[in-house]
Amino acid sequence: MKINSAIRTFYLVTGVLLLVTTSACESPADPNPKESERQRAVYGMAWSLINPDYGVGFADRPPTRQDGMTTIPLTVSRIPGEFTEADTPVRQSVDVQVNNIVGELSVPSLERTGTTLALERYVAGTGRSPQAKREVERMLTGLDDKHFAVTVLAELTEPMTEDDLERQGLSASTILLGQGAAKKPLGWKQENCEVLKTADCPDVSPMRSFRSWVATIGPPDAKALRSWRLSADSLRSIANSGKISGLMDDLTMPSAALAYIRSSHVRAVYLAAILLRQPVP
């Protein structure tokens, strides 16, 4: 269950996002605005895919193209989210630079967070032992739904389709799709369909949304995506199989997280963050 109220967040690993600064200078008119918008959809979501520990949105500014370079402005926020006193998400600006001449992408630097650490442990498989599972269960059992929320990752015993997961009563807002390049799994978020304005959103499932995005990747994108060690062919293979290797449940009840621990289809559960909804008496 998602908790949408403003919350005070305690991260297992803290830090400040390293920003990629942008120029305030006026840029000439984009000679090919449709292609720049297409690149924003492809590369902006590719950045989201390799960084499931951050939420990604499109900035109000459109992409710009000059001297063979496309600048794609994004807004990013930590997972789990931080909120202002006015109950609005805290977001930062990041620019993705696309070198259209040599086909390369620049990668903004991100600070490691508690979710980053949990994603790395997920890839390393450190939570698979019975002792590790009991420790996570002990921690979750000690948290009540009234005062706490948690962000957890569930590693499946074997990859499953969305239909298989539904039959087992398992679902989450982010699906994990195998290991990425930065010791983290690839992750596709439910909210990505809203960012991309996918038809039938928000009713479309995360895998269907992922498949729709993969279908937009063209031959010119393959070389650029390799800058982030993403293979267009591998992404198409994942989309065709529809297999999901894990789930990330952000801002869920501790009792709901315990359901992952007790499922025979979940190999390990990783606790990324504990969040205080309201003070404990």
Side-chain angles (χ1 to χ4, degrees):
M1 179 184 296
K2 278 298 188 72
I3 300 169
N4 296 318
S5 60
I7 52 180
R8 183 181 177 190
T9 304
F10 293 88
Y11 292 96
L12 303 181
V13 176
T14 60
V16 178
L17 178 68
L18 300 180
L19 302 182
V20 178
T21 58
T22 60
S23 172
C25 299
E26 292 292 329
S27 299
D30 190 339
N32 195 344
K34 287 186 178 181
E35 173 60 13
S36 295
E37 287 290 343
R38 191 197 69 80
Q39 286 185 327
R40 178 167 72 167
V42 173
Y43 302 142
M45 288 298 99
W47 193 92
S48 171
L49 186 69
I50 62 176
N51 293 291
D53 39 346
Y54 283 84
V56 176
F58 293 159
D60 293 336
R61 295 179 293 117
T64 58
R65 181 178 294 217
Q66 184 179 10
D67 299 329
M69 298 288 294
T70 300
T71 299
I72 301 173
L74 303 176
T75 60
V76 303
S77 56
R78 294 193 198 203
I79 302 294
E82 296 177 291
F83 293 84
T84 67
E85 293 296 329
D87 199 16
T88 56
V90 175
R91 296 185 180 275
Q92 303 288 351
S93 297
V94 168
D95 282 358
V96 173
Q97 300 290 339
V98 185
N99 187 323
N100 298 300
I101 298 174
V102 298
E104 290 182 352
L105 306 171
S106 64
V107 183
S109 298
L110 292 179
E111 186 69 19
R112 286 159 53 84
T113 69
T115 304
T116 309
L117 178 61
L119 289 164
E120 292 174 350
R121 292 177 60 223
Y122 172 99
V123 169
T126 60
R128 296 172 181 170
S129 69
Q131 180 181 356
K133 294 180 71 173
R134 285 195 299 269
E135 178 62 19
V136 174
E137 183 174 18
R138 183 190 65 79
M139 294 179 67
L140 291 173
T141 303
L143 304 174
D144 66 87
D145 291 348
K146 180 179 179 180
H147 296 99
F148 294 95
V150 295
T151 295
V152 295
L153 284 69
E155 179 190 4
L156 301 176
T157 54
E158 60 181 3
M160 302 171 69
T161 65
E162 282 183 323
D163 289 342
D164 292 336
L165 288 168
E166 184 176 355
R167 282 191 286 270
Q168 299 303 325
L170 298 172
S171 65
S173 56
T174 299
I175 56 175
L176 303 177
L177 304 169
Q179 184 175 348
K183 297 182 180 179
K184 296 183 289 188
L186 303 177
W188 189 263
K189 301 177 181 65
Q190 173 72 44
E191 66 189 38
N192 287 352
C193 77
E194 297 178 5
V195 177
L196 292 168
K197 299 180 179 179
T198 304
D200 300 326
C201 189
D203 296 328
V204 63
S205 70
M207 180 54 75
R208 284 181 56 200
S209 172
F210 174 70
R211 283 172 170 157
S212 296
W213 172 76
V214 169
T216 67
I217 298 175
D221 303 320
K223 183 177 180 180
L225 289 174
R226 285 199 293 272
S227 300
W228 290 342
R229 287 185 278 179
L230 285 173
S231 163
D233 289 339
S234 294
L235 294 177
R236 293 188 188 100
S237 178
I238 294 172
N240 290 335
S241 73
K243 293 297 182 70
I244 296 164
S245 61
L247 303 168
M248 184 167 76
D249 212 349
D250 182 29
L251 305 186
T252 192
M253 299 285 194
S255 60
L258 280 168
Y260 295 121
I261 285 279
R262 294 161 182 168
S263 172
S264 61
H265 298 278
V266 173
R267 188 177 188 182
V269 174
Y270 300 88
L271 184 59
I274 299 173
L275 308 110
L276 184 64
R277 297 177 59 198
Q278 55 181 287
V280 179

